[in-house]
Amino acid sequence: MSKNVVILGAQWGDEGKGKLVDLLTDQVKAVVRFQGGHNAGHTVVVNGKKTILHLLPSGILHSGVANYIGSGVVLSPAALIEEIKGLKEQGVDVNGRLYISDACSLLLPYHAIFDQAKEKAMGEGAIGTTGRGIGPAYVDKVARTGLRASDLADTEQFIDKFTEVFEYYNFILQNYYGVPALDFKQMLDKILITAETIVPLLTDVPAKLSEHYKKGDNILFEGAQGTFLDIDHGTYPFVTSSNTVAGAASVGSGFGMLYIDYVLGITKSYATRVGAGPFPTELTDDVGAGLAERGDEFGATTRRARRCGWLDIALLRRSVLLNSITALGITKLDVLDGMETIKICVGYKLHGKNIDLSPSTLKAFKACEPIYEEFPGWKESTSGIKLFNELPQAAKNYLKRIEELSGVRIALVATGQDRADVIMLENPFA
Ligand code: GDP
Ligand code: IMO
Ligand code: MG
């Protein structure tokens, strides 16, 4: 029987989803991206060789596995082609293993220009987006004015629709944001060329996933961003423009929600965030700088420095309930090696009261003060350890405490960047 697993970020992104998707792909016949766009940066390291994936699902390095881009993704044809080209140069041919939903909304160059112009105009209040045009592309989708991947198959119709949207952006960009006029023909020609590559990859993703299901194939759904960047449930407005929670796996791929068996929530052994927005456990001192250095905390997409802090269980508890997390994947345990003491935020003080679940409004969240539990660290290296029993006792205690506090068991613990650096306590596909 088919077993279907969602892997998603339980924090603010960059939890190491790509690594774990790649690791578990050897047990599936299909990997599906269901939201976000090329704002994502998913790192996969195999035998020391690093690949960063943005739009391509992180199962793409395995032969014999179908990789799908679902309709919940905003697709930049140019970014996808660039990524396909990059992989080809590394000797990975996506031919015959990549399929795109014909219902994907297109992310076109004016979206990125708009995103950047808006962020610039917002100044201090900016969200700190990736500047890729994600927000504007979803705006067009929801406003029902956007172009879809299927439109690329009909040039005449594409030009009609494109002309209308182009004129709108060109007007707003010039008259509201003071951006120089866009060149219609240059932009259109560049987009039309992409049809040659994109159109042959288009397919009816829901129908394909249903075929996999009926055949008994396992399917892996790969989340991008993280729970607290969710447009509804995240720290709005400091969020991305898609739903990132587990429910989006069904919506953004067209796979019935009752066929999903398991949700693996990924969290680092500490916390990071890129871009603006509240972060109660943020460390702006040397301890935070040490985590950033040892964890190489620079964005995989924009290379921006990631903000670092302690693991936050009040947030993790909310993540568990929002996503119905079955089990946790803890990554970057090795980054804590050598620390004198480690702290976990076990709840918050809010207006004089102790609470154990992060609040739902930004105002209350901003007012929260973390309550910490302190642990002795460990001196030994955990790098590359594959068996739980080989971990230092203090590391075992730390992991056990995360299970107790979050109320969820741990399935996997990552101890290094490489695919092989992992402790598997429970196989999500078993
Ligand atoms: P994603 O967006 O969730 O796929 O995560 P990113 O790729 O943006 O960021 C995670 C970073 O941590 C990448 O550089 C990974 O190679 C790295 N990484 C993942 N797991 C581990 C781990 O257990 N230890 C260490 N040291 N690095 C890890
Ligand atoms: P992965 O999949 C971390 C953040 C941006 C910004 C906010 C909105 O690699 O975990 P956007 O460009 O989406 O409109 O930016 O969301 N953000 C991410 N942070 N990891 C990501 O993806 C992110 N994708 C977007 O930094 O704060
Ligand atoms: Mg990332």
Side-chain angles (χ1 to χ4, degrees), residues 13-15 17 40-43 300-301 306:
D14 304 327
E15 296 90 350
K17 302 174 289 291
H42 298 172
T43 314
T301 294
R306 295 175 183 149

Side-chain angles (χ1 to χ4, degrees), residues 10 21 26 54 62 82 104 119 145 157 164 170 195 205 215 267 290 306 326 331 357 377 383:
V21 169
D26 64 355
H54 301 285
H62 295 252
E82 183 74 24
C104 273
E119 283 281 286
T145 50
Q157 189 184 304
E164 212 171 295
N170 207 15
V205 169
K215 275 199 283 182
T267 168
R306 295 175 183 149
T326 313
T331 57
L357 183 69
S383 185

Side-chain angles (χ1 to χ4, degrees), residues 12-15 17 39-42 115 127-132 134-135 223-226 229 238-241 273-276 301 304:
W12 281 290
D14 304 327
E15 296 90 350
K17 302 174 289 291
N39 49 347
H42 298 172
D115 188 2
I127 288 163
T129 71
T130 59
R132 299 295 190 267
I134 303 298
Q225 289 77 56
L229 290 174
F238 301 101
V239 291
T240 190
S241 295
R273 173 163 209 171
V274 198
T301 294
R304 285 178 295 172

Side-chain angles (χ1 to χ4, degrees), residues 226-391:
T227 298
F228 297 104
L229 290 174
D230 182 281
I231 184 76
D232 288 293
H233 304 290
T235 50
Y236 190 91
F238 301 101
V239 291
T240 190
S241 295
S242 63
N243 284 113
T244 59
V245 293
S250 176
V251 180
S253 64
F255 189 68
M257 65 177 184
L258 292 182
Y259 305 149
I260 291 171
D261 303 290
Y262 192 108
V263 179
L264 183 68
I266 314 300
T267 168
K268 287 180 191 173
S269 61
Y270 50 99
T272 64
R273 173 163 209 171
V274 198
F279 181 1
T281 63
E282 183 170 13
L283 291 162
T284 50
D285 57 6
D286 285 353
V287 181
L291 287 170
E293 199 193 324
R294 290 192 305 281
D296 190 24
E297 295 296 355
F298 293 93
T301 294
T302 58
R303 292 307 293 164
R304 285 178 295 172
R306 295 175 183 149
R307 302 151 66 191
C308 295
W310 298 118
L311 182 62
D312 186 336
I313 299 288
L315 269 176
L316 188 55
R317 288 189 187 112
R318 180 168 282 278
S319 201
V320 169
L321 68 88
L322 287 169
N323 296 302
S324 61
I325 288 176
T326 313
L328 296 171
I330 309 280
T331 57
K332 304 189 105 162
L333 183 70
D334 54 302
V335 175
L336 299 181
D337 293 352
M339 296 189 82
E340 271 311 309
T341 51
I342 297 165
K343 288 184 188 174
I344 301 188
C345 165
V346 296
Y348 303 134
K349 199 168 248 340
L350 177 63
H351 307 313
K353 277 199 191 134
N354 288 0
I355 56 170
D356 54 17
L357 183 69
S358 66
S360 57
T361 69
L362 190 75
K363 195 171 175 203
F365 188 55
K366 274 180 164 171
C368 285
E369 279 172 51
I371 302 167
Y372 289 111
E373 211 171 270
E374 202 167 311
F375 292 82
W378 53 91
K379 290 273 170 285
E380 303 90 326
S381 165
T382 63
S383 185
I385 287 185
K386 294 172 187 62
L387 293 171
F388 187 80
N389 276 340
E390 289 177 5
L391 289 176

